[in-house]
Amino acid sequence: MPYPTDRERDRPWVMRTYAGHSSAKASNELYRRNLAKGQTGLSVAFDLPTQTGYDADHQLSKGEVGKVGVPIAHIGDMARLFDGIPLAEANTSMTINAPAMWLLALYVSVAEDQANAEGRPVDEVLAKLTGTTQNDIIKEYLSRGTYIFPPGPSLRLITDMIAWTVHHVPKWNPINICSYHLQEAGATPTQEVAYALCTAIAVLDAVRDSGQVEPGDMAKVVARISFFVNAGVRFVEEMSKMRAFTALWDEITRERYGVTDAKARRLRYGVQVNSLGLTEAQPENNVQRIVLEMLAVSLSRGARARAIQLPAWNEALGLPRPWDQQWALRMQQVLAFETDLLEYEDIFDGSHVIQAKVDEIMTGAREEIARVQDLGGAVAAVESGYMKSQLVTSLAEYRRGVENGERILVGVNKFDTTEPSPLQAEGAKAIETIDPAVEKEAVAALEEWRNQRDNDLVERSLEKLKLTAKTTDNLFEATLACARAGVTTGEWAGALREVFGEYRAPTGVSASAMTGSGNAELLRVRDRVKATGEEIGERLRILVGKPGLDGHSNGAEQVAVRARDVGFEVVYQGIRLTPEQIVAAAVQEGVHVVGLSVLSGSHLEVVPQVVDGLRAAGAGDVPVIVGGIIPPDDAKLLTDRGIARVFTPKDYELTDIMDGIVSLVRERHGLKES
């Protein structure tokens, strides 16, 4: 997106809608409709099996296929996803991380096929490809959880991909360093800026030191590094954050990497405004939240986003419908085309108030960057658990403010009286639902694909991939060969799992600071936990589990922290567990309650499996509770299946939840209510 160099009207940013579900065919139809409505870029949401390198028929994929995005298993799926959409003219953002190299190889292969079908030179088409692969694995270890490999091999995949794209797809952004999820995990503006820039330093150092890019080409690398940030509702602070971000990026790239071209040093970023701040209670309030958050990244011309995607008002309820996504797109279009926003120079230049806030964030970010570098850099700070524990502690402090009323959420902890909503009236079908048949169809299609491809070629390409992975050679060409041979997502990731191994990131729970220790209600519940344990004859134990592939662990971690604060012994093993693993841990640890967290929509499939497993193991008296984005009808189905309690985002008082859990344990053990 060109930047203006004079006082002419600024060009509108790229307008995206994060979308994809069910199948490549269904998602292609959705993309075409969105483009026809004036959307100027695509933003592909992949389902969790694709994001974590599994095929639809893997055990961990059960209940997850097509739920939070589109399943892409092979080049045939990628071709269907972009059928009728010329990739040389598209601007595509792909939210993909651990298997980013694989998905870009599929995308490039489809672009090559389109070029051949049109009789155009392949190099000419590849030179025109624009868009981004998120490809930020550091924040996956810290917040979103869709990592696969250990940090070292993961950084190698990123390095190889950047080196390949600089030489072959020069307009593509091979990495979109993503501070968005850091904010959702609790990062303050200072932490969000600092940790994102620490990731950028780790990546740029790795590319520079790999020898795959000539020193004189580092400016080309820097120019293709983009960022993806979060914008919260405190829009003055958020806008100041982006001005600080812009100044620090310019400073780092000039001083650390010697980039003299001012254009190459510009902070190029896209935005998804804060989905974490959307509420289940009075969800219509989310509309004004989204608009205010959009202002944070559009008001300041010198720090304006070049791509924006907005969530829909009902994302805290479930999957948005096409109409909801259209509403979010129209918000952007009204701001860009009806207002005079784009007609002026930066309206905040010269504001001493704004500059003071910018200076405050920059000073704090410099200090935190130095602290991380002293620890050995971003990778070392992930492996030690430092950054994760800082985020868990910050989020706990944020939640404390919500619970005690210091931080007001309209419709949640203040002004919570409401009229019936016509947007959620009976029969309105306020969210999109995914047909359970989608998963069966995906598994059947996968089997058919494997039967009709050249499996000898597949085996040879996978063997070549593994051999290359054992060297220091660039992995992208071997990955391209796998894509063209018809290898599946699970097979590509599985081959690299054999060489690199898998990784489980630190949870940050044990190292997080205790919050609210002097709170009277928390002390009362702590006394109940202690007394109940004494009556039962042992300390109360709770297992907090994340079944399936949902890696959004913020809620589970906060439950674990609060359970520890009120005196429970907490068993928390992190993300991506099978129901069988959760049952085994619950039985082995002799827990008194099992708490499950599911935000991906797979609750109806994976949660009952835990209940059935406990019964089969002779532990059917252990109550199971669940929290997540769970529609009311689904909540009733879960309670009918034996789930003791269901909590949703409207249940924000964690200490009250702990109190209810104590009562549940007492009830199951036949104790009188205390």
Side-chain angles (χ1 to χ4, degrees):
M1 181 63 63
Y3 281 72
T5 56
D6 53 29
R7 295 181 62 88
E8 70 182 13
R9 180 181 173 88
D10 196 3
R11 300 190 183 194
W13 50 88
V14 176
M15 299 182 188
R16 307 189 197 274
T17 303
Y18 185 53
H21 65 82
S22 301
S23 68
K25 182 176 182 295
S27 297
N28 173 263
E29 293 169 355
L30 178 61
Y31 294 164
R32 289 195 192 201
R33 288 201 304 272
N34 287 347
L35 289 170
K37 292 172 182 174
Q39 187 174 298
T40 53
L42 295 173
S43 181
V44 181
F46 296 98
D47 73 350
L48 285 175
T50 304
Q51 292 184 50
T52 50
Y54 293 110
D55 289 328
D57 56 356
H58 192 277
Q59 179 189 14
L60 277 169
S61 299
K62 185 172 178 58
E64 307 279 14
V65 177
K67 285 281 173 65
V68 301
V70 57
I72 298 295
H74 46 69
I75 191 171
D77 284 343
M78 189 65 90
R80 275 188 287 275
L81 185 66
F82 292 103
D83 182 35
I85 301 173
L87 297 189
E89 282 75 53
N91 188 307
T92 305
S93 169
M94 292 191 279
T95 302
I96 196 71
N97 293 283
M101 179 182 285
W102 172 246
L103 272 298
L104 181 61
L106 293 177
Y107 189 86
V108 166
S109 298
V110 170
E112 291 174 342
D113 289 344
Q114 288 185 356
N116 290 328
E118 297 168 8
R120 299 173 64 183
V122 168
D123 289 345
E124 175 188 300
V125 169
L126 295 188
K128 290 185 175 181
L129 294 183
T130 59
T132 183
T133 29
Q134 194 165 96
N135 202 21
D136 174 4
I137 206 66
I138 298 294
K139 68 94 175 51
E140 294 300 321
Y141 299 130
L142 295 175
S143 56
R144 194 164 168 267
T146 65
Y147 53 81
I148 301 174
F149 314 112
S154 295
L155 193 58
R156 176 194 169 178
L157 286 169
I158 294 170
T159 300
D160 286 358
M161 189 169 154
I162 291 173
W164 190 88
T165 54
V166 165
H167 294 126
H168 297 91
V169 195
K171 291 186 177 180
W172 189 265
N173 300 332
I175 187 169
N176 198 216
I177 294 169
C178 181
S179 69
Y180 174 87
H181 295 95
L182 300 182
Q183 187 181 119
E184 288 206 333
T188 64
T190 296
Q191 289 172 328
E192 186 181 343
V193 171
Y195 295 162
L197 290 174
C198 284
T199 297
I201 289 169
V203 168
L204 287 172
D205 283 0
V207 173
R208 180 195 61 196
D209 298 342
S210 73
Q212 297 188 67
V213 176
E214 294 295 325
D217 285 339
M218 279 303 292
K220 294 181 181 178
V221 176
V222 167
R224 300 296 358 138
I225 303 292
S226 62
F227 291 81
F228 188 70
V229 307
N230 200 332
V233 77
R234 292 171 58 84
F235 68 91
V236 174
E237 182 176 73
E238 294 288 344
M239 186 268 295
S240 299
K241 175 189 77 179
M242 293 319 306
R243 289 171 70 96
F245 215 144
T246 299
L248 283 171
W249 178 243
D250 183 82
E251 177 182 296
I252 289 169
T253 53
R254 182 182 65 252
E255 296 179 2
R256 190 180 182 98
Y257 302 105
V259 178
T260 57
D261 182 357
K263 184 177 180 181
R265 297 197 308 265
R266 285 178 177 143
L267 182 78
R268 302 162 61 253
Y269 78 97
V271 177
Q272 161 93 11
V273 306
N274 187 14
S275 293
L276 181 68
L278 305 183
T279 62
E280 177 190 16
Q282 297 183 23
E284 63 275 7
N285 293 334
N286 294 330
V287 175
Q288 50 264 36
R289 291 187 179 107
I290 291 166
V291 171
L292 290 170
E293 289 164 350
M294 179 171 50
L295 292 178
V297 292
S298 59
L299 281 176
S300 177
R301 182 168 180 168
R304 181 170 293 149
R306 304 318 301 176
I308 297 176
Q309 59 189 46
L310 303 181
W313 69 279
N314 55 349
E315 283 195 14
L317 308 177
L319 187 67
R321 302 158 298 182
W323 184 87
D324 305 312
Q325 293 184 330
Q326 174 184 295
W327 193 358
L329 174 62
R330 296 294 185 249
M331 294 177 197
Q332 294 198 58
Q333 291 168 330
V334 168
L335 181 63
F337 299 112
E338 291 192 23
T339 76
D340 58 353
L341 174 69
L342 301 180
E343 297 173 9
Y344 296 95
E345 296 284 308
D346 199 308
I347 60 177
F348 295 101
D349 285 349
S351 168
H352 67 276
V353 174
I354 295 298
Q355 191 58 50
K357 187 64 180 177
V358 170
D359 291 344
E360 176 190 326
I361 294 172
M362 289 181 68
T363 298
R366 284 196 189 99
E367 292 171 356
E368 191 64 15
I369 290 169
R371 195 170 294 119
V372 171
Q373 297 309 306
D374 287 344
L375 291 170
V379 171
V382 165
E383 293 174 328
S384 69
Y386 169 74
M387 285 201 289
K388 181 63 174 179
S389 65
Q390 293 296 106
L391 295 177
V392 172
T393 299
S394 293
L395 186 56
E397 184 64 19
Y398 168 86
R399 292 197 62 92
R400 183 195 64 78
V402 172
E403 290 182 80
N404 66 21
E406 291 176 10
R407 184 177 291 267
I408 293 172
L409 293 182
V410 174
V412 177
N413 64 355
K414 196 173 181 66
F415 312 118
D416 55 357
T417 59
T418 185
E419 298 295 327
S421 169
L423 294 172
Q424 296 177 269
E426 185 176 351
K429 193 177 181 291
I431 58 172
E432 188 87 12
T433 55
I434 303 301
D435 191 331
V438 162
E439 185 169 312
K440 294 180 181 178
E441 291 167 359
V443 171
L446 187 63
E447 183 177 358
E448 182 181 353
W449 176 263
R450 289 178 178 144
N451 288 335
Q452 57 87 31
R453 68 185 180 179
D454 183 341
N455 285 298
D456 288 338
L457 179 59
V458 165
E459 289 303 316
R460 290 197 300 273
S461 64
L462 287 170
E463 193 60 33
K464 174 66 174 174
L465 177 70
K466 287 187 280 188
L467 289 173
T468 306
K470 294 174 183 176
T471 71
T472 58
D473 294 344
N474 191 295
L475 277 163
F476 203 90
E477 288 294 340
T479 296
L480 271 176
C482 287
R484 293 163 182 152
V487 167
T488 68
T489 297
E491 291 165 345
W492 177 85
L496 293 183
R497 280 183 170 99
E498 289 182 32
V499 180
F500 296 151
E502 290 193 78
Y503 186 70
R504 294 195 71 79
T507 66
V509 169
S510 60
S512 66
M514 183 175 291
T515 60
S517 56
N519 179 277
E521 178 63 12
L522 187 144
L523 294 173
R524 184 188 70 80
V525 176
R526 187 181 297 165
D527 289 341
R528 289 194 73 210
V529 170
K530 182 180 179 181
T532 302
E534 290 172 349
E535 290 180 64
I536 293 174
E538 56 183 342
R539 186 180 176 188
L540 293 192
R541 289 183 294 279
I542 180 173
L543 183 149
V544 179
K546 291 284 297 176
L549 296 177
D550 171 30
H552 284 86
S553 58
N554 302 333
E557 289 156 1
Q558 292 305 308
V559 168
V561 168
R562 188 59 56 86
R564 181 200 64 187
D565 289 352
V566 299
F568 278 94
E569 180 181 329
V570 177
V571 179
Y572 178 58
Q573 299 171 321
I575 63 171
R576 217 177 301 168
L577 300 171
T578 65
E580 291 78 12
Q581 288 172 321
I582 291 173
V583 169
V587 172
Q588 181 178 343
E589 299 289 344
V591 301
H592 300 95
V593 62
V594 172
L596 305 178
S597 169
V598 185
L599 289 92
S600 65
S602 64
H603 45 267
L604 291 180
E605 290 82 8
V606 297
V607 173
Q609 290 181 55
V610 174
V611 174
D612 294 343
L614 288 170
R615 287 172 180 163
D621 58 333
V622 176
V624 176
I625 60 177
V626 61
I629 299 176
I630 301 172
D633 290 346
D634 288 1
K636 184 178 185 307
L637 290 172
L638 289 172
T639 54
D640 290 344
R641 282 298 313 272
I643 305 302
R645 298 284 190 279
V646 177
F647 299 99
T648 64
K650 69 178 183 299
D651 303 302
Y652 67 92
E653 290 273 11
L654 287 179
T655 304
D656 284 353
I657 291 174
M658 294 300 134
D659 196 29
I661 292 173
V662 178
S663 296
L664 180 61
V665 172
R666 296 185 66 84
E667 176 188 317
R668 290 294 174 96
H669 284 78
L671 303 177
K672 292 181 180 179
E673 188 59 46
S674 62

